Amino acid sequence: MSEGAPIPGIVITGASGRMGQMLVKHVAASPKARLVGALVREGHPWIGQDAGTVTGGAALGIAVTDDPLEAFAKAQAVIDFTSPAASVEFAALAAQARAVHVIGTTGFAPVDLERIRAAARHAVIVRAGNMSLGVNLLAQLARKVAAALDDDWDIEIVEAHHRMKVDAPSGTALMLGTAAAAGRGVELEAHRARGREGVTGPRRRGDIGFAVVRGGDVVGEHDVIFAADGERIVLRHLATDRAIFARGALRAALWGQDRKPGEYDMIDVLGL
């Protein structure tokens, strides 16, 4: 966002969720943005109540709504950590409003991504499996290390999240796998080992494996392991506070204000 530009109004979708509540508080407290809307699903008990009080803070004068058209009409940016189906619909509506759409949702199917790309022809979309600076640096490191090593080095990605996470592997794990595959000059889908159980036979050379842990209140832990005979390289990121994702999402929303329509990621936002 350029110096002297108007302070952008931001709508938070999924405002009743853990990330949504944090985003409401984070945007409301920021001197660089204005909270202009808090969106929840149809029929939610928060509808009509003040977005500040229902998220545990002071009143903000913003009523929670289930009407995205009304909310987006007032917004310069939408921050969205919801579900694939909802995010796809929000992408089309945000594009109509010419609002920057920051998507932290994961678990998209290929057809969903096609619809998001179509919306990005008309507005700025910043989509990332993880909004933190540290994870995006980790992805860059994974790509560089993979490029420096040959197939004698097996690549495994191990991720852990809280018990309520519904998709696996995480969007961040897939982002890291994609980065490692790019470092090797291959497509992840052609080399992805999806799961191991029973008598699986020896590991296929060149595969990129994934292992998933779910339990407790783990915010997010990701290891990228490069293993060869006699040695291992382990790149690790540990998230202990969801505020890192809120900060990254707000940064993306502000960054997108001066951009041309298109689909971007956090690598673009962070200038990495």
Side-chain angles (χ1 to χ4, degrees), residues 33-257:
R34 296 176 296 116
L35 183 72
V36 297
L39 191 69
V40 294
R41 68 180 183 276
E42 185 177 352
H44 194 281
W46 283 12
I47 294 170
Q49 299 189 57
D50 188 280
T53 57
V54 292
T55 55
L60 298 172
I62 303 294
V64 176
T65 181
D66 63 352
D67 185 350
L69 279 174
E70 177 189 4
F72 292 6
K74 299 177 286 188
Q76 284 73 56
V78 175
I79 301 179
D80 174 18
F81 286 71
T82 53
S83 68
S87 291
V88 167
E89 296 302 320
F90 292 150
L93 295 175
Q96 291 175 24
R98 298 300 187 264
V100 174
H101 188 193
V102 178
I103 303 175
T105 306
T106 59
F108 291 106
V111 66
D112 298 327
L113 297 178
E114 285 297 327
R115 292 179 65 185
I116 288 171
R117 278 191 283 272
R121 291 199 290 267
H122 306 285
V124 172
I125 293 179
V126 180
R127 185 177 67 85
N130 195 296
M131 298 284 174
S132 84
L133 171 60
V135 161
N136 283 278
L137 285 170
L138 177 61
Q140 293 294 85
L141 289 170
R143 180 171 183 157
K144 289 182 178 296
V145 173
L149 303 175
D150 61 22
D151 285 357
D152 287 339
W153 293 77
D154 302 322
I155 301 176
E156 294 284 319
I157 297 169
V158 181
E159 59 102 336
H161 282 87
H162 53 89
R163 64 171 69 92
M164 301 302 292
K165 188 166 179 62
V166 298
D167 58 315
S170 68
T172 301
L174 293 173
M175 180 178 79
L176 295 170
T178 299
R184 283 191 165 170
V186 299
E187 294 292 329
L188 177 61
E189 284 306 305
H191 294 269
R192 178 177 166 184
R194 293 180 176 272
R196 302 184 181 107
E197 184 176 351
V199 181
T200 61
R203 190 185 199 281
R204 190 175 68 171
R205 184 180 175 88
D207 270 358
I208 297 175
F210 291 83
V212 174
V213 177
R214 293 288 179 268
D217 61 354
V218 178
V219 174
E221 300 179 0
H222 294 87
D223 288 356
V224 184
I225 303 169
F226 298 86
D229 293 343
E231 57 183 329
R232 291 195 306 274
I233 299 168
V234 180
L235 306 178
R236 167 173 285 190
H237 180 269
L238 305 178
T240 58
D241 187 344
R242 286 184 179 82
I244 63 173
F245 310 130
R247 289 195 295 269
L250 177 56
R251 183 170 177 172
L254 298 176
W255 176 89
Q257 297 301 309

